[in-house]
Amino acid sequence: MSDESEAARRLKERMSSLSPEQRAVLERSLRERNVKAPSAVDPGPGTKAAARSAAPRRGRRPGSTMDFSLFFFSGDGTAKGPGKYQLLLDSARHADANGFDGIWVPERHFVDFGGLYPNPSLLASAIAVLTENIQIRAGSCVLPLHHPVRVAEEWAVVDNLSGGRAAISAASGWHPDDFLLAPGDGQQRYPRRKDEMFESIDTVQRLWAGESVELPRADGSSQTVRTLPRPLQPRLPVWVSAQGSIETFVRAGEIGAYVLTGLVAQRPADLKDKTAAYREALAGAGYDPAEGRVTAMVHTYVGSDDDEARETVRGPLTAYLKTFLEQQDSFGSEFSKLNDAERDVMLNATFERYFDQLALLGTPDKCESLIEDLVDIGVDEVACLVDFGLDPGQVLKGLDHLTELKDRYRHRGETEGEKS
């Protein structure tokens, strides 16, 4: 029996074993994430495979363009031995040599999941001296956890090392435990973290531009500060990390920042509304909406065969989704109310939806369909999350096929068949 047939059999058994009350909890949890509950009567793998192949896919339309970057987020901080950052560095070299727009390194604290990345500026400095072309970005820098002077100083170093290729996405912070790192009383500051993020963006940009800024001393008095070293870029490119709240998209537009978002835990239709609100806010604040930028983080593994890719990513992506949902539990997720069988059903259903609709998984031809959907939503760039548990060699192999997909979506006038 194939792995897919065995998985289908187990899924059918688990669905059949649920009580009406358990199934109601499961379906409510799936609805929250816009995932369709699987039927307790499984039609069999042959029927499902035929349904998948018959599902409509969109090919690239003439004129469709999309920028591509690489995104790192979930490297296991408990890994032992040397070579922990080899995948990141090898991927940076590939992206730099093959025309990707940027590479993102996150800020993560106190969890195994993503624990390789406690300070994006440190790894950005390493990438800076290995590369020549690619923009090097924090994805994200949690501004309320840092004094704005330190942010301006550290990223000015990256800017100098890279020849003017530094950029950040600013985040407000998520978990209260992280705020023990914040200057002053972090726990009191946690409730207003979003306001602090926008205040820090303004301060960092003023310092970056060479202004002298008055900042408070420990005794409450003021000191005028001007940061060094001087960066090469006149203005630091800034994204704002935004997911659930349309207000964050609007505020990003009001200050002329870009937006970094993702397809995890939000529906594409909702993201379309948020990108539209972002463009409206840009225009209302006097910025050119066409100069705005929405970047969407998407799980990515592009291969030569759809079925092979499905089985390659099934285990790692399911484990990633499980960890993500478990991290929501402390904030009242429905996932915590499910038993093991219900969780398995939910994870299987979520995996299938992500593979088919919400991730760049499979061949370049298959992945064009999602890119076209993102073009319609108003996304300008896909940030390809590649470190979700695959073997490093598999990730690097997949980058060749991802580069093929990227090259199909070059800027106007550069795409094959559209050259003048």
Side-chain angles (χ1 to χ4, degrees), residues 72-201:
F72 288 78
F73 184 75
S74 52
D76 185 359
T78 66
K80 297 180 180 179
K84 295 179 180 66
Y85 298 100
Q86 198 60 51
L87 175 61
L88 172 66
L89 300 179
D90 288 344
S91 299
R93 291 188 184 96
H94 178 98
D96 192 59
N98 288 279
F100 286 76
D101 283 82
I103 186 166
W104 303 86
V105 186
E107 178 179 348
R108 309 276 285 155
H109 302 288
F110 312 131
V111 290
D112 298 350
F113 182 71
L116 281 183
Y117 310 116
N119 187 335
S121 68
L122 288 175
L123 288 172
S125 295
I127 295 170
V129 298
L130 290 177
T131 59
E132 297 179 354
N133 306 301
I134 198 167
Q135 193 173 56
I136 305 164
R137 306 167 180 168
S140 304
C141 180
V142 185
L143 290 187
L145 302 185
H146 309 285
H147 197 289
V149 167
R150 294 295 295 165
V151 176
E153 289 176 341
E154 291 178 8
W155 285 92
V157 171
V158 176
D159 204 50
N160 278 278
L161 288 172
S162 66
R165 293 182 284 128
I168 68 169
S169 186
S172 61
W174 175 64
H175 204 291
D177 289 353
D178 293 350
F179 277 72
L180 67 86
L181 298 170
D185 190 337
Q187 294 308 313
Q188 287 191 4
R189 293 169 56 193
Y190 178 78
R192 66 176 309 271
R193 61 195 183 280
K194 188 172 293 187
D195 290 332
E196 283 205 15
M197 175 187 70
F198 283 102
E199 292 164 6
S200 288
I201 291 173

Side-chain angles (χ1 to χ4, degrees), residues 27-73:
E27 290 179 341
R28 183 168 64 252
S29 186
L30 292 172
R31 282 196 301 271
E32 287 186 351
R33 292 167 177 83
N34 199 32
V35 178
K36 184 179 179 180
S39 172
V41 181
D42 191 273
T47 303
K48 289 191 293 183
R52 282 200 300 269
S53 64
R57 288 184 185 170
R58 307 173 68 191
R60 181 186 174 276
R61 295 164 293 183
S64 286
T65 62
M66 183 66 68
D67 292 334
F68 286 74
S69 55
L70 297 186
F71 197 97
F72 288 78
F73 184 75

